[in-house]
Amino acid sequence: MSPTTPWWRSAVIYQVYIRSFADGNGDGVGDIAGIRSRLPYLKSLGVDAIWINPWYKSPMADHGYDVADFREIDPLFGCLAEAERLIEEAHEHGIRVIPDIVPNHTSDQHAWFRAALAAGPGSPERERYVFRPGRGSDGAQPPNDWVSCFGGPAWTRLPDGEWYLHLFAPEQPDLNWEHPEVRAEFESVLRFWFSRGVDGFRIDVAHGLIKHPELPDLPPRQDAADGQRPRHVEHPHWDRDEVHEIYRSWRKVADEFPGDRCFVAEAWADTPERLAAYVRRDGLHTAFNFDFLMSTWDAKELRTVIDNSLAMLGSVGAPATWVLSNHDVVRHVSRYGRQSPARRWVANETYRAEGPVDLGLGTRRARAAALLMLALPGGAYVYQGEELGLPEVEDLPESVLQDPIWERSGHTERGRDGCRVPIPWSGRTAPYGFSPADATGAPWLPQPADWADRGVAAQSGDESSMLELYRTALRLRRAHPALGDGTLTWLDAPEGVLALRRDPGLVCVLNLSDEPYPLPGHTAVLLTSGPVEGGVLGTDQAAWLAV
Ligand code: GLC
């Protein structure tokens, strides 16, 4: 990589789900003090940056994705001065910092929404959100048939008769991005944080900001042929073309600041072409590649996803990004531990778990998947705990579930808590070093009794552990000139085997077939996902070879 290539074209970015990463003050909830104390760990892991889930002032109806003040840190997590210290200290460790920004909606406790409620129907204060009269003679029907991503209608009626739009929880009213004050406010918020040294932002629900001006009902559902992804159809509130104009102005704001500041879009787009539109040269820098995350464990499908992503993103000059897990989906050790993972195409719905998980199988595949992901051209995301091989916690008692999806779905969807359980650091019993020894609160979600061997301390130095696999892979990736940004060449391989070359001099092979696969010619084996005997790669194994 040339020294002038911007860092974000090949960065490995570690996702810190702040409430579950490390608890500094002992209240059972992760915080900024916790992140600061773990910077040496992140440095030794070898990541380039951290993305921190929302840390702003929030009533926590959706764990921080309901922001009451974008310029304040929630007291649960710390204060502004501490956030500034964290940014500085991370930089001293050579780690960049990317907070989350949530532009689609605010909290219902945000000053703007409170003012809108107080000012009443027809007021200018209501124009910053999406208020409408209801349908039917008495206005008792919602203005249209839109549904909330968390279940139930996307509209809530107020005592004064008006309805307001919320694509997520009722505590998350959608902003009206046609309003100039909304646009100006977010640009000001971006500047507020850029001038405090953040290196970029992850943009929450980046594809949702613009709504069809007439708020029409949803188009008829297009059910795809089994296993096929639906084609793009114009949608009244997802991925509308007009959204890109907003990001062109955000790009100008980022460009006002020195250094390479970058945006990553959480944009759920129907096709790779639609996703590429977010990262054109005058728009955002990168976008999450959820097609990779949603792919089943199948060589043909993975290769198609990789080819399409590289072709479409490459056509606009953007690097690809690769991601296997995040705080919204079932952890991939558990996904891959099921023989036929169900697919979900709908944005933000969690994967519906069917059948028992074979953790041995899932772990073997997850190890191989990590080597594939980290060998692909572009950047990669690591979700906290994935480097520890954590599975989804699928048996949380119903009484502790906190995700709004659980209530909103009428207790039919358990939601996303299972991938958000506080991570284990050390010790044989909960809280496994997540909280200090003199903690006053238990971890906000209970940790499984059998997580002692999954902690950072237990895995450190054990060459067969997931943690050491990630450490080694990240160290090699940093040092090897072929890895990171660039192109790939597919090599001939039998059905079910992926073999790709990165220049100069590296080949990654992944065996998803049932047959053993003899390693192709090489000068050295750099890394394997598991023990490779007699130069033969077993099922669900991967290797990096020097050639
Ligand atoms: C995004 C976040 C998710 C959140 C939602 C609403 O999808 O990743 O966690 O609930 O937006 O802000």
Side-chain angles (χ1 to χ4, degrees):
M1 198 179 59
S2 112
T4 53
T5 307
W7 66 277
W8 44 265
R9 293 195 65 93
S10 53
V12 176
I13 302 180
Y14 184 93
Q15 179 187 351
V16 173
Y17 191 69
I18 183 167
R19 44 189 312 126
S20 303
F21 183 65
D23 168 20
N25 67 357
D27 64 355
V29 179
D31 47 34
I32 296 178
I35 306 177
R36 287 174 63 191
S37 73
R38 301 296 183 183
L39 287 170
Y41 168 73
L42 295 168
K43 189 183 168 70
S44 81
L45 183 59
V47 299
D48 301 295
I50 51 177
W51 147 36
I52 306 174
N53 288 96
W55 54 7
Y56 311 106
K57 189 156 196 278
S58 165
M60 305 287 165
D62 184 21
H63 291 339
Y65 282 99
D66 47 322
V67 179
D69 187 336
F70 289 93
R71 294 180 185 79
E72 281 291 340
I73 298 290
D74 196 89
L76 195 59
F77 301 138
C79 63
L80 186 58
E82 263 186 295
E84 291 171 339
R85 286 295 296 144
L86 168 65
I87 297 166
E88 262 173 53
E89 290 169 1
H91 289 166
E92 284 160 20
H93 283 80
I95 296 171
R96 301 185 195 248
V97 180
I98 299 181
D100 220 307
I101 181 109
V102 190
N104 182 68
H105 41 264
T106 68
S107 158
D108 61 349
Q109 300 305 310
H110 189 283
W112 277 3
F113 195 73
R114 293 161 70 116
L117 292 192
S123 62
E125 286 84 350
R126 289 207 172 180
E127 286 168 17
R128 293 190 287 228
Y129 293 89
V130 186
F131 284 89
R132 290 289 185 281
R135 288 201 281 207
S137 52
D138 53 357
Q141 301 300 316
N144 64 27
D145 66 355
W146 295 3
V147 286
S148 152
C149 292
F150 292 161
W155 296 91
T156 290
R157 196 177 196 192
L158 294 166
D160 61 33
E162 271 207 318
W163 296 76
Y164 70 90
L165 176 68
H166 51 86
L167 293 180
F168 294 88
E171 295 87 353
Q172 293 166 297
D174 277 53
L175 286 161
N176 167 20
W177 274 87
E178 306 301 340
H179 200 299
E181 282 177 34
V182 172
R183 296 199 180 211
E185 167 65 1
F186 273 88
E187 292 187 11
S188 153
V189 169
L190 295 178
R191 289 191 180 94
F192 177 89
W193 288 101
F194 275 140
S195 59
R196 280 168 178 74
V198 303
D199 300 278
F201 289 92
R202 178 259 190 191
I203 306 171
D204 187 61
V205 198
H207 60 310
L209 277 46
I210 298 288
K211 279 79 182 175
H212 188 299
E214 282 145 31
L215 307 184
D217 279 347
L218 296 171
R221 211 188 130 109
Q222 299 221 324
D223 278 322
D226 199 25
Q228 292 300 302
R229 192 163 185 180
R231 282 206 321 265
H232 175 71
V233 272
E234 188 188 330
H235 192 279
H237 62 72
W238 292 140
D239 189 26
R240 296 187 62 78
D241 292 336
E242 302 84 345
V243 82
H244 300 301
E245 188 195 319
I246 297 171
Y247 300 132
R248 280 193 286 272
S249 21
W250 283 29
R251 176 62 175 253
K252 287 185 192 133
V253 173
D255 289 346
E256 289 166 16
F257 291 84
D260 289 317
R261 315 288 173 122
C262 96
F263 291 111
V264 53
E266 185 214 18
W268 293 82
D270 283 343
T271 63
E273 292 88 328
R274 299 289 308 178
L275 185 67
Y278 286 82
V279 290
R280 289 177 293 213
R281 287 180 199 280
D282 58 349
L284 303 175
H285 305 78
T286 57
F288 290 106
N289 187 355
F290 294 123
D291 288 354
F292 185 65
L293 179 152
M294 290 192 294
S295 172
T296 56
W297 190 246
D298 174 84
K300 218 183 254 164
E301 187 181 343
L302 281 167
R303 180 165 167 169
T304 305
V305 165
I306 293 167
D307 281 339
N308 289 345
S309 310
L310 291 174
M312 286 306 141
L313 296 165
S315 73
V316 294
T321 67
W322 310 100
V323 57
L324 292 167
S325 279
N326 65 34
H327 66 292
D328 290 330
V329 300
V330 171
R331 283 186 177 274
H332 59 272
V333 161
S334 298
R335 291 199 323 262
Y336 292 150
R338 290 196 163 90
Q339 284 296 347
S340 48
R343 300 158 191 260
R344 297 316 237 7
W345 296 123
V346 187
N348 214 56
E349 280 188 35
T350 44
Y351 153 103
R352 187 165 286 147
E354 270 133 22
V357 176
D358 177 342
L359 274 187
L361 177 71
T363 304
R364 195 159 65 243
R365 291 177 171 175
R367 295 174 66 92
L371 292 202
L372 173 67
M373 171 171 86
L374 295 171
L376 293 174
Y381 284 84
V382 174
Y383 175 46
Q384 67 179 38
E386 118 178 24
E387 80 281 21
L388 305 175
L390 296 187
E392 182 82 1
V393 183
E394 292 184 326
D395 58 357
L396 286 170
E398 291 180 354
S399 59
V400 305
L401 294 181
Q402 302 206 15
D403 187 343
I405 291 178
W406 173 241
E407 286 302 323
R408 298 273 304 166
S409 70
H411 297 185
T412 57
E413 299 263 358
R414 292 171 61 89
R416 302 159 292 178
D417 292 322
C419 64
R420 300 174 172 180
V421 171
I423 66 170
W425 291 91
S426 57
R428 302 305 299 168
T429 52
Y432 304 112
F434 166 72
S435 298
D438 58 351
T440 51
W444 71 279
L445 283 174
Q447 299 160 301
D450 61 358
W451 268 15
D453 292 334
R454 299 190 185 276
V456 171
Q459 295 194 37
S460 291
D462 171 359
E463 288 311 316
S464 68
S465 69
M466 186 73 92
L467 177 57
E468 293 300 342
L469 179 77
Y470 269 78
R471 280 188 176 140
T472 309
L474 293 175
R475 194 179 62 241
L476 286 170
R477 187 184 148 105
R478 250 168 202 261
H480 204 291
L483 294 176
D485 198 22
T487 54
L488 71 72
T489 316
W490 292 107
L491 305 178
D492 285 341
E495 208 180 308
V497 175
L498 295 177
L500 63 96
R501 185 187 166 105
R502 301 291 317 272
D503 282 313
L506 186 131
V507 164
C508 170
V509 243
L510 169 58
N511 183 6
L512 298 101
S513 77
D514 295 333
E515 304 292 322
Y517 177 65
L519 291 175
H522 54 271
T523 53
V525 177
L526 299 176
L527 184 61
T528 60
S529 63
V532 168
E533 279 145 36
V536 174
L537 207 57
T539 300
D540 298 329
Q541 284 199 319
W544 287 0
L545 308 172
V547 293

